[in-house]
Amino acid sequence: MNVIYFDNNATTRVADEVFEAMRPYFCELYGNPSSMHTFGGQVGVRIREAREHVAALLGCHPSEVIFTSCGTESDSTAILGTLAAVPHRRKVITTRVEHPAVLTVCRDLENRGYQVIELGVDKQGRLDLGELESHLDDDTAIVTIMSANNETGTVFPIEKIARMVTDRGITFHTDAVQVVGKIPLNLADSCVNLLSLSGHKLHGPKGVGVLYVRKGTRIAPLLLGGHQEGGRRAGTENVPGIIGLGKACELASRYMEDENTRVRTLRDRLESAILASCPDSRINGDPENRLPNTTNISFEYIEGEAILLMLDRFGICASSGSACTSGSLEPSHVLRAMGVPFTAAHGSIRYSLSRYNTEEEVDFTIDKMPQIIERLRELSPFVGQVTA
Ligand code: PLP
């Protein structure tokens, strides 16, 4: 059975060009870039080139790019490294809809005596910037707010937020794991201090990420040890991963236009056909400010997991809520923060597309969805109940 993969916010297929670029760095060019000999040194040169490709995609200087092991490590380093650099400040501001890579760190900080403010969102997942402003003070060490939500695709006005925060001398971090490669960035013209990205979300390999650190930003390293990454992140480099990420960034610049035209059109076609053919369905998130590849749709009275199982029979991969929480049947914390009614939050499905998806795949899914929903509604004990 062919797989129709609509779960690209969970992870993406490694691009062929990325895989080919990585291949020599396992068994041929396996030297340690820190070695003095030419064999290792040539790897160091390739890492430098990869760093330049990342910097070109982000619109920053290569020296501002630190390679990490994943988006999660980048997020942890940004938050904990900032707190270590400004120990007299004890307040952290974030949102209730962050990925667990940020939210769990912040909640742990609260247990350790920090004041943590979690900003709420409205029904469409939008922030109230007035509320954010009212919390900024001299005790605030860092504000960490995602660029776009992994579950709904809602994009936050990061530049406006970054200016508001940094104008007060507070460090601003954004988890841009879902944005890099989908929306153009130019960090040279931005106020963002720290930005996280992850290789496996943009057709690069798993196990590699980046923390962008704007020149002059006060931050301490999380991992101590060797002098790699200019002493800012110890540990022998994941050379194939870094080379692959460099290639993925190079390709992302090339495919950005496609992402925002063809992929967006496919997403819109899928979304509008499903909404038209499946009664009691609705979009979750801000329909105006949204990632071009993502749609999150709630189907009242049925379980998202049941829909996923039925889709799976046709080889269609999607997600109910975030991939990282899909092991539990709790409704997503993002949809709960948006006040999505319980019966709708339970029946939410995220379709996240990529440049590898085709019109035929979208049409096949459009054809199958109404029968799946109708069948599950026939079986549902909740149909006809009043929702709260
Ligand atoms: N931040 C967001 C918004 C994500 O979607 C993810 C992964 O799903 C992460 C952070 C974690 O990235 P990684 O899997 O590279 O640790």
Side-chain angles (χ1 to χ4, degrees):
M1 183 166 55
N2 280 341
V3 165
I4 298 179
Y5 191 73
F6 289 143
D7 203 11
N8 288 279
N9 287 9
T11 198
T12 57
R13 170 204 197 284
V14 170
D16 294 334
E17 299 93 322
V18 168
F19 182 61
E20 286 310 322
M22 292 171 70
R23 195 195 286 272
Y25 294 88
F26 290 98
C27 302
E28 294 161 47
L29 299 169
Y30 52 82
N32 188 324
S34 300
S35 297
M36 291 300 289
H37 43 72
T38 311
F39 184 62
Q42 63 185 329
V43 175
V45 173
R46 298 294 173 223
I47 289 189
R48 205 174 313 139
E49 286 170 7
R51 201 183 302 280
E52 284 166 8
H53 289 312
V54 176
L57 181 64
L58 299 182
C60 69
H61 194 271
S63 64
E64 295 173 313
V65 170
I66 299 178
F67 288 113
T68 65
S69 68
C70 57
T72 300
E73 184 191 324
S74 302
D75 285 342
S76 272
T77 307
I79 300 167
L80 301 176
T82 300
L83 293 179
V86 289
H88 51 287
R89 296 189 179 218
R90 304 285 298 171
K91 183 169 165 185
V92 175
I93 302 177
T94 188
T95 78
R96 280 165 59 192
V97 296
E98 297 298 310
H99 187 274
V102 165
L103 215 43
T104 313
V105 176
C106 291
R107 290 184 180 161
D108 184 58
L109 287 168
E110 196 162 29
N111 292 335
R112 289 160 46 193
Y114 284 89
Q115 185 190 359
V116 175
I117 307 288
E118 287 181 18
L119 303 169
V121 292
D122 69 10
K123 278 187 172 8
Q124 294 199 319
R126 294 174 304 203
L127 286 169
D128 174 352
L129 298 197
E131 189 196 353
L132 167 62
E133 195 163 24
S134 72
H135 287 293
L136 300 174
D137 59 20
D138 291 345
D139 199 33
T140 310
I142 184 167
V143 175
T144 172
I145 294 181
M146 68 199 327
S147 295
N149 190 271
N150 46 303
E151 295 189 30
T152 61
T154 299
V155 175
F156 286 146
I158 287 303
E159 276 318 316
K160 217 165 159 181
I161 295 172
R163 185 165 300 280
M164 183 191 286
V165 172
T166 55
D167 272 356
R168 291 168 194 249
I170 300 165
T171 297
F172 179 70
H173 166 247
T174 186
D175 175 339
V177 164
Q178 293 294 344
V179 154
V180 176
K182 295 173 188 155
I183 295 178
L185 292 171
N186 187 8
L187 292 172
D189 289 341
S190 139
C191 297
V192 169
N193 294 106
L194 302 163
L195 175 144
S196 303
L197 70 91
S198 173
H200 72 105
K201 308 287 183 177
L202 65 150
H203 305 290
K206 297 171 181 58
V208 64
V210 159
L211 179 63
Y212 156 81
V213 180
R214 185 180 200 78
K215 191 167 180 278
T217 302
R218 294 167 72 191
I219 184 164
L222 188 67
L223 299 186
L224 303 176
H227 296 294
Q228 293 89 354
E229 299 299 289
R232 295 174 298 175
R233 196 273 183 186
T236 302
E237 297 86 342
N238 168 7
V239 176
I242 289 172
I243 301 296
L245 178 53
K247 191 65 180 178
C249 287
E250 203 188 330
L251 293 173
S253 306
R254 217 182 293 161
Y255 284 107
M256 191 82 73
E257 175 75 15
D258 183 59
E259 188 82 37
N260 284 283
T261 51
R262 199 185 65 86
V263 176
R264 183 189 290 275
T265 306
L266 286 181
R267 187 273 313 267
D268 290 347
R269 180 189 175 119
L270 178 70
E271 179 179 273
S272 47
I274 290 175
L275 291 177
S277 65
C278 302
D280 294 317
S281 57
R282 50 179 263 192
I283 302 174
N284 295 311
D286 183 349
E288 300 291 312
N289 301 298
R290 206 159 40 134
L291 293 174
N293 76 320
T294 308
T295 179
N296 185 312
I297 305 178
S298 273
F299 302 91
E300 285 271 7
Y301 318 121
I302 41 184
E303 292 277 2
E305 282 68 21
I307 304 172
L308 286 187
L309 288 176
M310 301 272 277
L311 285 171
D312 196 50
R313 287 193 201 161
F314 295 112
I316 302 167
C317 308
S319 183
S320 64
S322 155
C324 307
T325 56
S326 60
S328 93
L329 277 180
E330 279 291 296
S332 124
H333 70 285
V334 174
L335 301 184
R336 270 185 291 142
M338 290 163 56
V340 175
F342 186 78
T343 48
H346 260 299
S348 88
I349 294 291
R350 176 188 71 188
Y351 304 86
S352 47
L353 283 64
S354 83
R355 62 180 184 253
Y356 291 102
N357 289 124
T358 63
E359 225 171 276
E360 291 70 39
E361 291 175 335
V362 165
D363 288 344
F364 181 80
T365 310
I366 289 173
D367 184 51
K368 299 296 172 216
M369 275 309 288
Q371 18 175 314
I372 292 176
I373 299 304
E374 201 181 316
R375 176 82 188 116
L376 291 173
R377 290 239 172 92
E378 279 166 15
L379 302 171
S380 170
F382 303 115
V383 175
Q385 282 187 17
V386 178
T387 63

